[in-house]
Amino acid sequence: SRAYSLVDSSQVSTFLISILLIVYGSFRSLNMDFENQDKEKDNSSAAGSFNGNSTNNSIQTIDSTQALFLPIGASVSLLVMFFFFDSVQVVFTICTAVLATIAFAFLLLPMCQYLTRPCSPQNKISFGCCGRFTAAELLSFSLSVMLVLIWVLTGHWLLMDALAMGLCVAMIAFVRLPSLKVSCLLLSGLLIYDVFWVFFSAYIFNSNVMVKVATQPADNPLDVLSRKLHLGPNVGRDVPRLSLPGKLVFPSSTGSHFSMLGIGDIVMPGLLLCFVLRYDNYKKQANSDSCGGPGPGNISGRMQKVSYFHCTLIGAAVGLLTATVASRIHRAAQPALLYLVPFTLLPLLTMAYLKGDLRRMWSEPFHSKSSSSRFLEV
């Protein structure tokens, strides 16, 4: 009861939505790989091994170098936003709105495909140099544009959350971690990045850089446009300043405060969950091909049946819950990755070692299979 009293309704909402986004993004990523492999089989009869370049050009696989330098790049971007926010806020708002439009259209696509399947064929409609699109893709994009326009006009937190959810799912679906080594490098580096900018940046910059950048509203592009074009004192003046969709926010039951969680704290465990989901699929297929051979002699059959996906998902849930309780106890911003990284990586490493999979998971396990099997490539 004491732990429950430390969590209010806004934090419960943030926790539940975050877990749902992580799981949904992981399975969307899995489904994309199946679709890409089916397309490859339809377009080519030549045999060859799957690799990151042959699946989909839009999918980005993070290598070791990128994993090491990503926290540095994120720190530089954070400092730019901290010192020069007034100068770049309009450009940053427009770029964010464009990305959020595309991401939310991706989030809506399965629903639109379900709605348009009975009444229209799945033939693509040509728009000249813009490309060819199905009716479902056009519908999802139109709904996404409409939502972004309403968000720009109203600045409502619920619409901002919807756009942030689209960004989370799109990032989880289109970014790949190829091995456990890269996962450890990336998550460890981002843990240090998160802890430094939340706990120690105030000692250097006299302000909590992470919190200030995350909570600082930007000028509405409509207001800026009306001032630039001298459209009159009443044109564009009633539009609110915009809180950018780089986070999820939910109000408390009393409306006295908002609970906030950055989308990076959702995407990073989501990427790890995608990796272990692919490995579970890979290992399941490998065991099927070997006629269900037993695991290592020092591990029981029950232990072998425990999936890495469930282990990592439980760790992510416990980590998010711990971060939520910690923020409530200290009544201050907490680096969520400080709790998420240990609660996800340590159980995963322990289970991989006990099952005898650690060496294979550490060094890109999916490259060893041929394209004749329906395995997933990270």
Side-chain angles (χ1 to χ4, degrees):
S1 60
R2 176 61 178 168
Y4 180 78
S5 67
L6 294 175
V7 181
D8 63 15
S9 59
S10 64
Q11 292 172 318
V12 171
S13 301
T14 306
F15 170 80
L16 293 176
I17 293 297
S18 301
I19 294 298
L20 288 175
L21 288 174
I22 290 173
V23 174
Y24 179 68
S26 301
F27 281 97
R28 282 294 298 272
S29 176
L30 188 76
N31 186 61
M32 284 176 58
D33 280 350
F34 281 138
E35 291 177 351
N36 290 333
Q37 291 180 19
D38 289 339
K39 289 179 182 178
E40 285 186 352
K41 290 179 180 179
D42 293 338
N43 296 333
S44 175
S45 59
S49 61
F50 285 124
N51 54 62
N53 295 326
S54 64
T55 54
N56 195 324
N57 291 331
S58 62
I59 293 176
Q60 175 64 45
T61 301
I62 298 177
D63 58 25
S64 299
T65 304
Q66 292 171 330
L68 287 172
F69 282 95
L70 196 147
I72 299 174
S75 299
V76 172
S77 300
L78 200 64
L79 285 176
V80 170
M81 294 296 297
F82 180 73
F83 287 111
F84 306 106
F85 185 79
D86 292 338
S87 302
V88 302
Q89 59 178 321
V90 175
V91 175
F92 189 72
T93 302
I94 294 174
C95 293
T96 303
V98 172
L99 291 175
T101 302
I102 300 171
F104 193 71
F106 175 77
L107 180 65
L108 291 177
L109 185 58
M111 181 192 71
C112 293
Q113 288 173 335
Y114 176 79
L115 293 175
T116 59
R117 185 178 294 118
C119 57
S120 67
Q122 296 300 312
N123 297 330
K124 293 190 175 183
I125 305 171
S126 176
F127 283 83
C129 61
C130 295
R132 297 170 60 85
F133 306 95
T134 63
E137 291 170 341
L138 293 175
L139 177 60
S140 66
F141 184 74
S142 300
L143 293 175
S144 181
V145 170
M146 187 183 304
L147 182 136
V148 171
L149 290 177
I150 297 174
W151 168 66
V152 171
L153 291 173
T154 64
H156 199 278
W157 65 268
L158 196 57
L159 301 179
M160 184 200 72
D161 277 359
L163 298 177
M165 293 176 193
L167 288 170
C168 286
V169 172
M171 292 174 68
I172 293 173
F174 284 100
V175 179
R176 301 285 188 270
L177 295 176
S179 65
L180 191 54
K181 178 179 71 174
V182 174
S183 303
C184 290
L185 287 174
L186 179 62
L187 292 176
S188 299
L190 289 174
L191 184 153
I192 297 172
Y193 156 86
D194 209 15
V195 169
F196 173 79
W197 289 112
V198 173
F199 284 156
F200 300 105
S201 60
Y203 297 104
I204 302 174
F205 302 99
N206 297 319
S207 178
N208 191 317
V209 176
M210 182 75 78
V211 173
K212 184 175 180 180
V213 170
T215 58
Q216 190 167 5
D219 287 341
N220 196 301
L222 295 180
D223 185 21
V224 176
L225 184 63
S226 66
R227 284 189 271 113
K228 293 292 184 181
L229 299 179
H230 306 288
L231 297 179
N234 296 323
V235 180
R237 294 298 191 269
D238 295 332
V239 293
R241 301 191 76 191
L242 297 175
S243 183
L244 302 181
K247 55 192 175 294
L248 288 180
V249 296
F250 286 93
S252 63
S253 56
T254 61
S256 58
H257 67 277
F258 279 80
S259 175
M260 182 178 67
L261 182 67
I263 63 173
D265 300 324
I266 302 173
V267 171
M268 290 306 125
L271 295 180
L272 184 63
L273 205 68
C274 287
F275 168 74
V276 297
L277 187 61
R278 286 179 175 81
Y279 187 82
D280 282 334
N281 180 80
Y282 166 86
K283 190 173 181 182
K284 180 180 179 181
Q285 191 68 37
N287 290 338
S288 176
D289 289 349
S290 61
C291 301
N298 60 331
I299 302 299
S300 66
R302 181 174 298 180
M303 181 65 178
Q304 285 292 334
K305 293 180 180 179
V306 178
S307 71
Y308 293 109
F309 175 81
H310 292 103
C311 172
T312 308
L313 180 60
I314 292 172
V318 174
L320 274 175
L321 183 61
T322 305
T324 300
V325 173
S327 66
R328 187 72 170 173
I329 293 175
H330 298 288
R331 297 188 179 278
Q334 295 290 309
L337 292 180
L338 175 63
Y339 308 95
L340 282 166
V341 172
F343 277 109
T344 53
L345 276 185
L346 293 181
L348 175 60
L349 290 169
T350 303
M351 179 174 284
Y353 175 77
L354 293 176
K355 286 188 173 186
D357 295 329
L358 183 57
R359 180 174 298 179
R360 181 181 295 175
M361 294 181 73
W362 189 259
S363 56
E364 304 191 16
F366 304 103
H367 287 301
S368 61
K369 302 306 294 182
S370 66
S371 62
S372 59
S373 301
R374 191 177 175 83
F375 291 155
L376 292 179
E377 171 64 46
V378 175

